[in-house]
Amino acid sequence: QAQMVESGGGLVQAGDSLRLSCAASGRTLGMLTVGWFRQPPGKERDFVAAISRSGDHTYYSASVKGRFTISRENARNTVYLQMNSLKPEDTADYYCAAIDGACSRTACYDRRLYRYWGQGTQVTVSV
């Protein structure tokens, strides 16, 4: 079993930056594909970004591509989500999640494949 714990959320203004962290324990991070998802109030949980086990491959939703960057430090058992040029529509609860092993380019977007989930961290972007 892997435990995922998010941190770094908060209240920021439009245009600001924020970096989320996801600390993993219970499993070697290098064995896990990790993704970030977000759930705005009253809406479904959607894919944001994912990173392969080695970090060589990254995937982004169209709404965040070019503004958000996912990265990982396996030695620190931590995955990051750097969020720049934040917009009010980025307001949501952000969750990190992990898959044992790899996922294909299209499969990484599917939240149903993620086995381990954190409790989430709230991000609020004001106008």
Side-chain angles (χ1 to χ4, degrees):
Q1 285 288 85
Q3 290 77 46
M4 318 296 287
V5 179
E6 305 92 339
S7 62
L11 172 63
V12 296
Q13 292 186 326
D16 285 351
S17 297
L18 206 57
R19 189 176 79 160
L20 304 183
S21 298
C22 173
S25 62
R27 296 275 287 171
T28 302
L29 186 64
M31 303 292 288
L32 303 173
T33 295
V34 178
W36 285 95
F37 292 77
R38 67 184 182 185
Q39 187 167 15
K43 297 186 178 181
E44 291 188 354
R45 192 173 300 186
D46 291 328
F47 172 83
V48 174
I51 188 166
S52 63
R53 292 173 294 177
S54 65
D56 288 347
H57 301 285
T58 56
Y59 310 97
Y60 297 94
S61 67
S63 61
V64 307
K65 194 170 186 178
R67 299 189 298 124
F68 291 11
T69 302
I70 189 171
S71 62
R72 64 192 297 157
E73 287 189 75
N74 287 345
R76 293 178 177 268
N77 287 327
T78 304
V79 173
Y80 305 99
L81 185 68
Q82 177 68 41
M83 306 186 295
N84 298 330
S85 303
L86 281 162
K87 305 175 181 179
E89 50 264 44
D90 294 318
T91 294
D93 290 325
Y94 283 73
Y95 299 87
C96 70
I99 299 172
D100 282 314
C103 57
S104 67
R105 181 180 180 86
T106 54
C108 285
Y109 292 77
D110 189 345
R111 68 183 183 193
R112 295 171 298 179
L113 296 183
Y114 288 79
R115 178 179 180 184
Y116 310 110
W117 289 84
Q119 294 300 307
T121 186
Q122 189 174 59
V123 173
T124 303
V125 185
S126 64
V127 299

